[in-house]
Amino acid sequence: MAGRFDPLSRSAIRGGRTAVPAPAGPLARAGASARTWAPDGPLDLGITLGPLRRGPGDPTFRTTPDGSIWRGTRTPAGPATLRVAARGATVHAEAWGPGADWILDALPALLGAGDDPAAFVPRHRLLHASHRRRPGLRLTRTGLVLESLIPTVLEQKVTADEAYRAWRRLVRRHGEPAPGPGPGPQGLYVMPDTHGWAMIPSWDWHRAGVDSKRSATIVRAARVAQRMEEAAAMDLPEAARRLEAVPGIGPWTSAETLQRSNGAPDAVTTGDLHLPGIVGYALAGDRDADDAAMLELLAPYAGQRHRAARLILLAGATPPRRAPRMYRADIGLI
């Protein structure tokens, strides 16, 4: 289920692979609500929950040497801390805080219980090999839209490093410490509530390197948070329309959000700077592929196009770099 991984390429990290140490040590801690769950097939915690991690310093996500993954999250019942670890064929989870019961009830969905890996039939050699090497890949479903939407908006049209820095700064400054024990000296954090996002002053957005367009989009989404969260129970087209009704949220942002909140296996990301070239190169040797070419190549995987793209990213089959990296214009340093 979980284990050590080889050195990661940048595309593999973007594919959602998170290194989880080999399981070791006791799990039970005082004061926690607990649950065990046995998946009906292989489960790799690192690549199933990896997409929820926003960079190596994400204050809401930690891995620890005992093989556990920790998450600080804001549920409809309130803040919660979740610790999850695999021991053999069983997953053990503990939770603290007002949202503990909610997050434990949602544990199977979080670990891909509603996903159907058997629906994916590889039709390219690379995808066949990547699929065979990762039988434990499941598509997570958090059921929480704003939790995935806000960091995705921060990632619009900037480098990953800039977006991760903004997320770290905003969560640590305007969020709150997660309930219960926290891993490591810095502990775990929960992102701000909807009022907290709306009340962040303009200078703090600026110091975090977030321009007015992205900050305004986040504030607009926070003000209609209930409508946003309703999208978690919708089918993909309807959920995408709901999100994209907010100015500043387009197909790229809605797809990246619904991949996590809804576990949507067909939510393929369009409008991305790199993904079409990666998919084109991996499946047809075409590093200059655009969205139309990418969608044509992924057409045989209709209904499973997001899973196909993740397997390509996890395979690390990227075209050789031939241009300078994207220019970093960090407004927080101005």
Side-chain angles (χ1 to χ4, degrees):
M1 289 187 180
R4 295 184 176 87
F5 298 99
D6 52 313
L8 306 181
S9 69
R10 194 165 186 83
S11 64
I13 293 172
R14 185 180 173 189
R17 187 192 295 184
T18 294
V20 180
L27 287 172
R29 294 204 178 195
S33 300
R35 176 176 183 176
T36 59
W37 180 69
D40 60 3
L43 173 65
D44 187 316
L45 290 178
I47 57 176
T48 296
L49 298 181
L52 304 180
R53 184 189 191 195
R54 304 293 181 155
D58 186 347
T60 70
F61 191 109
R62 290 282 189 273
T63 61
T64 50
D66 64 357
S68 299
I69 291 178
W70 294 71
R71 293 189 67 229
T73 186
R74 188 173 292 281
T75 77
T81 295
L82 175 69
R83 180 195 187 196
V84 59
R87 295 294 187 268
T90 303
V91 174
H92 298 260
E94 297 174 304
W96 296 262
D101 290 341
W102 190 97
I103 201 68
L104 290 176
D105 288 343
L107 181 70
L110 184 73
L111 300 181
D115 185 29
D116 182 15
F120 180 78
V121 180
R123 302 178 185 275
H124 294 81
R125 181 177 297 178
L126 179 140
L127 278 169
H128 180 76
S130 185
H131 185 245
R132 186 182 67 249
R133 287 196 297 268
R134 297 168 181 86
L137 170 63
R138 297 291 182 272
L139 301 183
T140 185
R141 181 186 182 279
T142 66
L144 300 169
V145 174
L146 219 63
E147 177 184 84
S148 294
L149 176 64
I150 289 174
T152 300
V153 172
L154 292 175
E155 293 170 8
Q156 292 176 348
K157 300 186 182 302
V158 297
T159 66
D161 289 343
E162 290 173 272
Y164 296 157
R165 173 184 175 272
W167 176 247
R168 289 194 302 268
R169 181 181 178 93
L170 292 169
V171 170
R172 288 194 179 279
R173 188 171 181 84
H174 297 280
E176 61 184 274
Q186 293 183 314
L188 203 65
Y189 278 74
V190 174
M191 76 172 194
D193 59 16
T194 54
H195 179 73
W197 285 114
M199 295 303 294
I200 295 175
S202 59
W203 54 86
D204 264 3
W205 289 112
H206 184 88
R207 288 170 182 161
V210 182
D211 57 64
S212 59
K213 182 177 180 180
R214 286 180 291 152
S215 63
T217 299
I218 291 171
V219 171
R220 281 192 291 265
R223 286 174 175 165
V224 291
Q226 184 174 350
R227 296 282 288 168
M228 295 290 97
E229 296 297 345
E230 290 172 358
M234 298 176 179
D235 61 22
L236 180 58
E238 187 181 3
R241 285 193 294 270
R242 174 64 61 87
L243 267 59
E244 291 169 27
V246 176
I249 298 176
W252 184 90
T253 304
S254 67
E256 290 282 320
T257 300
L258 296 173
Q259 289 163 8
R260 297 165 172 84
S261 64
N262 293 33
D266 201 45
V268 62
T269 304
T270 57
D272 193 83
L273 181 63
H274 302 293
L275 187 62
I278 293 172
V279 172
Y281 180 80
L283 300 186
D286 180 11
R287 64 181 299 157
D288 298 314
D290 57 10
D291 276 344
M294 175 182 71
L295 292 175
E296 183 177 352
L297 287 168
L298 293 176
Y301 304 104
Q304 294 284 318
R305 293 178 297 174
H306 168 52
R307 190 191 305 276
R310 277 205 66 193
L311 288 168
I312 291 169
L313 290 167
L314 287 166
T318 56
R321 185 179 298 277
R322 66 181 183 189
R325 293 181 181 272
M326 180 177 176
Y327 173 68
R328 177 174 177 174
D330 189 346
I331 66 169
L333 301 178
I334 297 174

